[in-house]
Amino acid sequence: MLSPPLSLLALCLATLASTGSATGTTGGTFADGGNTLVSAMMMFVGNEERVYILDKAEGNAAQVAGHPAWGSVWDVESHQATVMDVRSNVFCSSGMHLPNGSYITLGGNGAVGPGGNIGSQLNPGGFSAAWDAVYQDFDGTRAIRVLNPCRNTDNFNAPNCQWFDDATILSMKRGRWYSAAEATGDGRVVIIGGFTSGGYVNRNYPNTDPAFEGGAADPTYEYFPPVDGDPQTFNFMIQTSGLNAYAHTFLMPSGKMFVQANISTVLWDHENNVETPFPDMPGGVARVYPASGAVAMLPLTPANNYIPTILFCGGSDMPEYAYGNYSFPFIDTWNYPASRDCQRITPEPQDGSTPAYITDDEMLDGRTMGQFIILPDGKLLVVNGGANGTAGYSQATLTTPNFNDMPFGESLASGPVLTPAIYDPNAPKGSRWTNAGLGSSNIPRLYHSSAILLPDASVLIAGSNPNVDVNLTTFFPTTYQAEIFYPPYFSSSTRPVPTGIPQTLSYGGPSFDITLPPASYSGSANDAADSIIVAVMRSGFTTHAMNMGQRFLQLNNTYTVNQDGTITVHTSQLPPNPNLFQPGPAFVYVTVGGIPSTGTYVIVGNGAIGQQPTAPNAELPASVRLTGVNGFANGGGNGTDPSTDKEGDGKSNTGAIIGGVVAAVAALALIGAIAGICLARRRRANRQTPLTSVPYSAMSSAGAPARGIGGAGYMTAGPDNSDALRRSDTSAFMPLSNQSEAWNASTHSLSMAQPPFASHPYRDAELAASGSVVGSEYDTRQPMGHAPNRF
């Protein structure tokens, strides 16, 4: 890849001079990220220019197509958002990338109207709604929504740049809410479990039907693209019944999946549906929703032979009874302290030893809904969350039955943790956590908050909405304000500016060379070269304090130090095992001395669903060092460029200049865009009007919030779920006696199961043809003591 000509570079400089840049930003600080227009319950980075944002269907002031918007796209450069039309209710979906760079979201909730009440046009059985006349959202429980990320050069209003969302053409076989999703090494997506309707936790109490919970749970799994036959039962989802929403899933090198929910763990061969039990989570600490610990796979590196280790931190050790049932928790959760505990586990140890959890350094603060973001320097940032309680929202608990007595509105958490922390997996045990030099936010980020790594290596933080519908006046209101957090490396005046990164990467095969100019570093070239990390990173699909699909893989490299101060980085392709880093979109970052470049957008693999080509990695040349060669990022050294020595003192201003234009140069270096999903036809070109409409019920005659429990079940007469009254799809639950009544099954569900799979890759045409400052005032209650969780 060629460097831009000098005239083009001058143009970039002029542009940045007029628009400003992040150069000179103090590391460890927060900055304004703009208004997201919809509360960011979900986000993913589509490419180097855009972040896509999803909210549940609710009464946002922003409008699109004549109804409240619950989708938007955020511009990376301007920090401005634009609304997007999403047809169905995306509430608590899962999501994943596809090999060609597109993204899918899976499932969600039934149609709702104002106050989160059940929509106006009911599904058969009357327990959920197919459509609502006010919010104009469709039932999203079986939806598979597809988005092809577009760029500024594309026609954003064209159908191929918008969400495809039509369950009569493309849908799952089962309705799923809070399902898990994980990509396989051939690019398929495994979709696991989920609720079939609303609830705080996925159980009745007592739990007499752990498999189906009276029709409200689904312990099965299915695939995208689908395979023949009915979804199979995943017994682990029965074993973990009651606390298995958004199970933590990580594909292992063997192709098996590490799955953790409740306090249980298995290694799962999904192809043959065989489970290998692992030890329980120590201390009875739950990490899945609503306990919501921070969980991530540690960086895969040559030093650890690409053997995955999973890190679990925070969450809750509430006892089993405290979680209650679909309706609400049985204790006042906002008094219960979140856990500080951290555990590591290596599911497939290379030495053949039995996998076991190992206690790691405790977090600096207990957190529920804390979220790990892997940074390009290989460290992990944790942001967001609360010191007490759990995720979810409610208008009552068993011990606080009156909403007027709820101290934090509908929030089941309190004590927002406003200062991030950084975890260094390579630091000696006992010194892995720090928040030194990190500033604090003034925006609580609790339930339905999100965070994601941006292409420039900063972190976008947005969302927070522990409310059944939009509420701007409650204790923890619906939040539209986004923030940018700048990790410590932003204090550097210089960023590396690599060139030569290809736009596609393969699993093995010929190596490639990356060039780093002397303005990319300062001091000894040998020292700089020794510190280089070339990492392929995927920030994932973020929702509910987790990033589905997030990974960091360091590529092997050697180097040649050249006399002119440039460093040639000889770089291997990915290891020839697609299970280590599944095919699809990613960013390549080059880090020198702990300072990362801006990421370069790439596609890993061949861009198609199916068996990925592999080859042995080419042998890299030996590293070549030169003494006396220095970079001139901060001026001086034998690499000084006299053409930029304006003061005649032998010092160069190039480093500061390059640092200011790195984002522009990286963007200019990219070539083209990947082929995305161009749907050949849409059955519904415009939002349909339902055949019949039933007027929705008002929240109450006084206009007060409904008594239903948001995120969470419905109001009952007691913990046995008797005398329940259906109020809202998002704030109520009633078990179905016949699960099939929840949806009038479409005959147009996509089927692409023709063998052999590798000869039948995913194609777009087939998709279409198929059918104020926050302080201690948030922490007003005395925390309860801890007790072990024994679900």
Side-chain angles (χ1 to χ4, degrees):
M1 190 175 295
L2 298 177
S3 300
L6 184 60
S7 59
L8 191 53
L9 183 59
L11 178 61
C12 294
L13 287 169
T15 301
L16 282 173
S18 64
T19 61
S21 75
T23 302
T25 298
T26 301
T29 62
F30 289 82
D32 180 15
N35 188 311
T36 57
L37 299 181
V38 303
S39 191
M41 182 177 66
M42 305 173 182
M43 298 193 298
F44 60 89
V45 176
N47 50 45
E48 60 273 44
E49 296 177 347
R50 298 177 185 268
V51 176
Y52 290 85
I53 299 173
L54 293 167
D55 191 2
K56 67 180 188 286
E58 59 180 339
N60 294 309
Q63 299 282 303
V64 62
H67 64 88
W70 52 91
S72 69
V73 58
W74 183 86
D75 185 87
V76 170
E77 181 178 355
S78 70
H79 299 175
Q80 299 296 307
T82 303
V83 294
M84 296 187 72
D85 193 15
V86 184
R87 294 161 55 84
S88 62
N89 191 354
V90 198
F91 189 23
C92 301
S93 300
S94 54
M96 191 52 59
H97 62 275
L98 296 177
N100 68 346
S102 297
Y103 278 78
I104 55 174
T105 68
L106 302 156
N109 208 353
V112 300
N117 285 282
I118 191 169
S120 59
Q121 182 170 310
L122 302 180
N123 282 314
F127 301 118
S128 64
W131 190 79
D132 181 71
V134 177
Y135 285 176
Q136 299 182 33
D137 60 312
F138 287 88
D139 189 334
T141 52
R142 289 183 58 205
I144 300 177
R145 309 166 195 85
V146 187
L147 191 282
N148 169 41
C150 287
R151 290 181 170 82
N152 294 333
T153 54
D154 298 315
N155 177 8
F156 185 68
N157 294 318
N160 63 299
C161 290
Q162 298 293 310
W163 282 99
F164 177 83
D165 181 7
D166 188 341
T168 67
I169 295 177
L170 187 61
S171 65
M172 296 183 293
K173 296 182 178 183
R174 299 284 181 87
R176 301 183 189 272
W177 196 45
Y178 288 96
S179 63
E182 180 72 356
T184 67
D186 58 17
R188 293 176 295 161
V189 179
V190 186
I191 312 160
I192 305 167
F195 301 26
T196 64
S197 192
Y200 170 61
V201 292
N202 199 14
R203 70 168 183 183
N204 295 302
Y205 194 91
N207 192 347
T208 58
D209 179 17
F212 297 104
E213 302 293 353
D218 194 317
T220 68
Y221 68 100
E222 59 182 291
Y223 292 89
F224 176 85
V227 298
D228 288 335
D230 293 332
Q232 296 185 60
T233 296
F234 183 12
N235 286 323
F236 177 77
M237 301 304 286
I238 300 175
Q239 174 191 346
T240 58
S241 174
L243 207 58
N244 58 20
Y246 284 141
H248 295 297
T249 59
F250 295 92
L251 189 70
M252 293 289 106
S254 65
K256 299 177 182 179
M257 285 189 189
F258 172 88
V259 187
Q260 197 282 323
N262 208 311
I263 60 171
S264 300
T265 312
V266 295
L267 187 65
W268 178 45
D269 177 353
H270 64 92
E271 299 281 8
N272 300 298
N273 200 12
V274 175
E275 303 173 28
T276 302
F278 281 1
D280 286 347
M281 184 68 68
V285 183
R287 317 289 185 170
V288 294
Y289 169 89
S292 299
V295 181
M297 179 185 288
L298 297 182
L300 298 167
T301 69
N304 61 32
N305 292 316
Y306 301 108
I307 304 301
T309 294
I310 315 300
L311 178 66
F312 294 82
C313 290
S316 182
D317 67 356
M318 289 197 318
E320 180 252 348
Y321 174 81
Y323 284 96
N325 60 10
Y326 284 102
S327 303
F328 40 55
F330 287 176
I331 69 168
D332 293 340
T333 53
W334 53 85
N335 293 334
Y336 198 97
S339 176
R340 294 175 57 196
D341 178 75
C342 289
Q343 300 286 334
R344 287 189 186 199
I345 188 170
T346 301
E348 293 183 339
Q350 201 170 28
D351 61 5
S353 61
T354 302
Y357 283 100
I358 299 173
T359 301
D360 207 337
D361 294 2
E362 285 191 334
M363 303 178 81
L364 303 178
D365 303 284
R367 290 185 195 244
T368 174
M369 298 173 284
Q371 183 169 352
F372 274 136
I373 303 298
I374 308 175
L375 302 176
D377 60 2
K379 299 177 183 179
L380 279 69
L381 173 76
V382 67
V383 295
N384 300 344
N388 305 311
T390 70
Y393 52 77
S394 175
Q395 293 179 357
T397 71
L398 187 64
T399 51
T400 304
N402 297 314
F403 181 52
N404 288 340
D405 295 329
M406 297 278 285
F408 303 104
E410 293 177 296
S411 176
L412 293 174
S414 67
V417 184
L418 303 172
T419 305
I422 291 177
Y423 174 90
D424 185 347
N426 298 315
K429 193 171 182 180
S431 60
R432 290 173 178 163
W433 283 103
T434 184
N435 60 9
L438 305 185
S440 298
S441 173
N442 62 1
I443 303 176
R445 302 287 183 182
L446 296 174
Y447 189 43
H448 290 155
S449 58
S450 56
I452 202 161
L453 184 73
L454 292 175
D456 71 347
S458 64
V459 177
L460 176 64
I461 301 173
S464 192
N465 185 22
N467 301 287
V468 66
D469 204 334
V470 172
N471 191 332
L472 304 179
T473 61
T474 190
F475 210 93
F476 297 123
T478 305
T479 303
Y480 303 105
Q481 184 63 43
E483 298 169 286
I484 309 295
F485 177 74
Y486 294 102
Y489 45 69
F490 269 85
S491 291
S492 174
S493 62
T494 303
R495 300 284 296 276
V497 187
T499 58
I501 299 172
Q503 67 183 84
T504 60
L505 297 178
S506 59
Y507 297 105
S511 61
F512 58 94
D513 287 347
I514 299 172
T515 300
L516 282 172
S520 287
Y521 66 96
S522 59
S524 164
N526 290 337
D527 291 346
D530 286 339
S531 73
I532 288 172
I533 297 172
V534 182
V536 186
M537 300 187 65
R538 180 173 289 138
S539 54
F541 177 96
T542 176
T543 188
H544 288 70
M546 59 194 300
N547 291 62
M548 301 179 189
Q550 177 177 223
R551 293 212 175 190
F552 174 116
L553 187 145
Q554 180 183 347
L555 300 179
N556 218 344
N557 77 272
T558 59
Y559 59 80
T560 297
V561 174
N562 302 298
Q563 189 64 51
D564 63 357
T566 61
I567 302 173
T568 304
V569 186
H570 312 296
T571 311
S572 291
Q573 299 284 348
L574 283 77
N577 181 356
N579 298 326
L580 291 173
F581 197 101
Q582 302 97 314
F587 285 86
V588 174
Y589 293 85
V590 179
T591 299
V592 183
I595 311 301
S597 68
T598 289
T600 297
Y601 182 86
V602 299
I603 291 292
V604 176
N606 66 1
I609 293 178
Q611 184 174 351
Q612 298 295 302
T614 62
N617 279 111
E619 185 175 352
L620 295 175
S623 292
V624 177
R625 300 164 63 86
L626 284 179
T627 59
V629 177
N630 297 292
F632 54 76
N634 295 326
N638 73 325
T640 298
D641 181 355
S643 67
T644 62
D645 181 12
K646 304 301 183 183
E647 306 300 323
D649 58 0
K651 296 182 178 180
S652 169
N653 299 311
T654 306
I657 293 172
I658 294 296
V661 300
V662 59
V665 174
L668 288 168
L670 292 168
I671 302 175
I674 62 168
I677 292 179
C678 301
L679 294 165
R681 62 184 175 93
R682 295 183 67 174
R683 181 163 299 184
R684 296 167 177 161
N686 299 306
R687 181 170 298 275
Q688 289 187 340
T689 300
L691 297 176
T692 59
S693 296
V694 180
Y696 72 93
S697 299
M699 290 186 288
S700 72
S701 58
R707 286 275 290 180
I709 309 307
Y714 57 102
M715 179 56 81
T716 68
D720 62 350
N721 292 340
S722 61
D723 300 323
L725 296 175
R726 179 73 186 189
R727 290 298 184 95
S728 158
D729 228 27
T730 59
S731 65
F733 165 79
M734 181 173 289
L736 303 175
S737 58
N738 182 350
Q739 186 173 350
S740 66
E741 292 178 349
W743 180 273
N744 183 12
S746 167
T747 58
H748 297 87
S749 183
L750 178 65
S751 179
M752 297 192 298
Q754 297 91 328
F757 189 84
S759 66
H760 190 77
Y762 157 93
R763 290 184 175 89
D764 303 331
E766 290 169 334
L767 269 179
S770 313
S772 93
V773 175
V774 178
S776 60
E777 67 269 23
Y778 287 98
D779 229 337
T780 60
R781 297 297 185 97
Q782 184 67 29
M784 295 173 60
H786 285 258
N789 177 24
R790 304 193 186 281
F791 246 102

